[in-house]
Structures are given as structure tokens and as C-alpha cells.
Amino acid sequence: MNIRAMIDEINQVYLGNPKVVELCVTSLLANGHVLLEDVPGTGKTMLAKTLATSFHGDFSRIQFTADLLPSDIIGSDFFNLKTQEFENKQGPIFSNIVLIDEINRAVPRTQSALLEAMEERQVTVGARHIIYLPLSSSSRRKIRLNHPAHSLCLMRSLTAS
């Protein structure tokens, strides 16, 4: 799929500003992030879901609250009784497109976990190991990216309610 076809496909579903779609796709190709601030009900979630669908990527939405923990975003290790080993359960940050809602409500350490994932493209689980955020080969093939890893974080509602 070429980029113009991708933008046209998104614009068929998302009926908002076409310039916003172009900027989101540009940010995706540049391995960047997008900040969308708007009133409720303007299609920000629909845009993020449609963007992920357009290149067969994963979509996750994280609603930030005061009791949200870093492990709710990045995942955590757990002990599997059957195998008698620790396993990692990955959090929603491992999706290709991540919509983050109301980041200002989270405590600083949770915001820090998100910012590490956004800036460094990796997460630290416990003090033991670092896991790099994935980019599936099918996604890379569909939109012709050469980046080793990426996710796009769409944040909204940063102002206090």
C-alpha cells in the first residue's frame, strides 16, 4: 500500500480534518508522536484505531487515572506455577498505535514509564531487564519503514478537567 492510498483509506472512515490525518501518517513514518487536543466526541479514538487498521498494526488505549501503576502500562513479570519460571506479561505500550487519555491524572512515576517508552523505545521491567518495543514485520512491509521499532502515542486531554 502506498502512503497516498493509506491516507485516502483513513479519510474514508475518519471524517475530521484531512490535514490531521496527513500529519499523523507523517509522524508514523518519521517514527514520532502526535499530540491531539480537542473537545470530546471529535473522533480522536476513531482516528487512532483507523490508523492502526490501515497498516494492520495493533491498537491500545490507556486511560490514565490517579491509581494507574507503571506495570499497568509496560507489563510485569509473573511466576508461572506450571513451568516454575518467571514470564513477562507485556502491557498495552507494546502496541504499534497507543492512545493515551488524560496523562495529567497519573502519578509522576507512571508518567515516567510512559516517557521512557516514548523516548527510548524500550521499557524496564523491574530492575532485571529491558525490553525493546516491537514493530511487526508485516507492519514494516505494509508501510515500508526501515526503523527497528516504533509506536505512535496519541495523547489527549492534557489540561485539567
Side-chain angles (χ1 to χ4, degrees):
M1 169 184 292
N2 68 33
I3 303 305
R4 184 79 254 157
M6 180 184 202
I7 291 171
D8 291 343
E9 180 181 312
I10 295 168
N11 280 323
Q12 288 179 0
V13 177
Y14 175 72
L15 302 176
N17 186 347
K19 187 71 175 168
V20 172
V21 173
E22 289 182 18
L23 292 172
C24 286
V25 171
T26 301
S27 180
L28 178 70
L29 294 172
N31 205 19
H33 308 286
V34 175
L35 171 63
L36 295 174
E37 284 187 293
D38 209 340
V39 295
T42 56
K44 296 176 291 292
T45 302
M46 177 62 71
L47 173 59
K49 285 182 180 179
T50 306
L51 185 62
T53 303
S54 70
F55 69 93
H56 307 286
D58 297 327
F59 170 80
S60 292
R61 180 180 182 276
I62 305 171
Q63 177 70 44
F64 273 47
T65 59
D67 61 346
L68 190 73
L69 299 173
S71 61
D72 296 330
I73 297 170
I74 64 174
S76 61
D77 288 339
F78 69 95
F79 189 73
N80 185 332
L81 292 174
K82 290 182 182 178
T83 63
Q84 296 291 308
E85 294 178 349
F86 280 95
E87 295 179 8
N88 182 264
K89 169 104 171 91
Q90 295 182 342
I93 198 67
F94 284 88
S95 295
N96 297 109
I97 304 291
V98 181
L99 177 72
I100 295 138
D101 201 3
E102 300 182 313
I103 189 175
N104 61 310
R105 296 178 187 257
V107 295
R109 68 182 176 148
T110 303
Q111 291 177 3
S112 178
L114 170 69
L115 294 174
E116 176 190 4
M118 289 174 65
E119 177 62 28
E120 300 174 19
R121 308 289 186 195
Q122 67 184 26
V123 297
T124 305
V125 178
R128 296 190 4 232
H129 56 280
I130 294 174
I131 303 171
Y132 295 95
L133 298 177
L135 173 64
S136 68
S137 60
S138 64
S139 298
R140 186 169 44 250
R141 186 177 67 250
K142 291 284 184 189
I143 58 175
R144 296 183 180 97
L145 289 177
N146 294 320
H147 302 293
H150 89 275
S151 65
L152 178 69
C153 294
L154 301 166
M155 292 185 278
R156 63 180 187 180
S157 304
L158 292 173
T159 57
S161 302

